[in-house]
Amino acid sequence: MRRPQKVEAVQELKQNLESSDAAILAEFTGLKVGEMLQLRRKLAENGTRFSVVKNTLSRIAAREAEVEELIPLLTGSTAIAFIKGDAAIAARGIDDIAKKYPALVIKGGILNGRVLSADQARALAKIESREVLLGQLAGLMGAPLQRLAYLLQAPLGAVGNALSAYRMKLEESGPATGAPALGAVSPDGGSALDTAGTAS
């Protein structure tokens, strides 16, 4: 590869590292051409580009993209899945292929600027998609809100029932007890409720 081509390849790798939402590195020694094509097609469905890279150029690109922690992973045969969108869905696709073709071995990755070990990158495949997680979050938030609304309504109903019973009691006792009816105005201009509340 001529120098201008190398410079162009490094810039493309750097741009892919910087613009991707995540990236997963894999070793593919022994993976057949047809299997590689199948993997690329599967990942492309979710906006992921799977590229075989040269380690020497990728190390330069990693330094320029300020993700030097990736450099130890850039050994042996290396392919990088540049992920746009939901990293969990792409990781699941790679993991499915890796189970089917043991020649594909996940080496690590990068997510939100943080370098992942091989185990952490594989763990992405077990995370639910963003849509599923949002649905679960909405369910968790909805249930307590419904319970809260019920709890708020119950005391108010109890207070209403208590006031209604108190009013009926006052109305039944009438003038004989000298207690004014609820809502009546006392001689000093205050309400009966105020008078009852301030009585000793």
Side-chain angles (χ1 to χ4, degrees), residues 28-33 35-36 39 50 97 101 103-104:
F28 60 92
T29 302
L31 197 66
K32 297 177 181 178
V33 175
E35 296 167 349
M36 179 71 80
L39 176 57
F50 193 74
I97 295 290
Y101 304 114
L104 183 70

Side-chain angles (χ1 to χ4, degrees), residues 36-45 48 50-52:
M36 179 71 80
L37 287 173
Q38 182 184 356
L39 176 57
R40 281 178 168 160
R41 288 196 195 102
K42 184 174 180 63
L43 294 176
E45 292 173 2
T48 298
F50 193 74
S51 304
V52 175

Side-chain angles (χ1 to χ4, degrees), residues 6-7 12 30 80 100 111 119 125-126 141 152 157-159 179 197:
K6 289 181 180 180
V7 172
E12 183 179 356
I80 303 179
K100 189 174 180 180
L111 178 66
D119 288 340
K126 297 177 175 61
M141 290 180 67
L152 287 174
V159 170

Side-chain angles (χ1 to χ4, degrees), residues 29-30 80 82 91-92 101 103 107 122 141 144 169 178 180-182 197:
T29 302
I80 303 179
F82 296 104
R92 201 171 298 125
Y101 304 114
K107 299 199 286 185
R122 282 192 293 268
M141 290 180 67
K169 183 178 179 182
L182 189 63

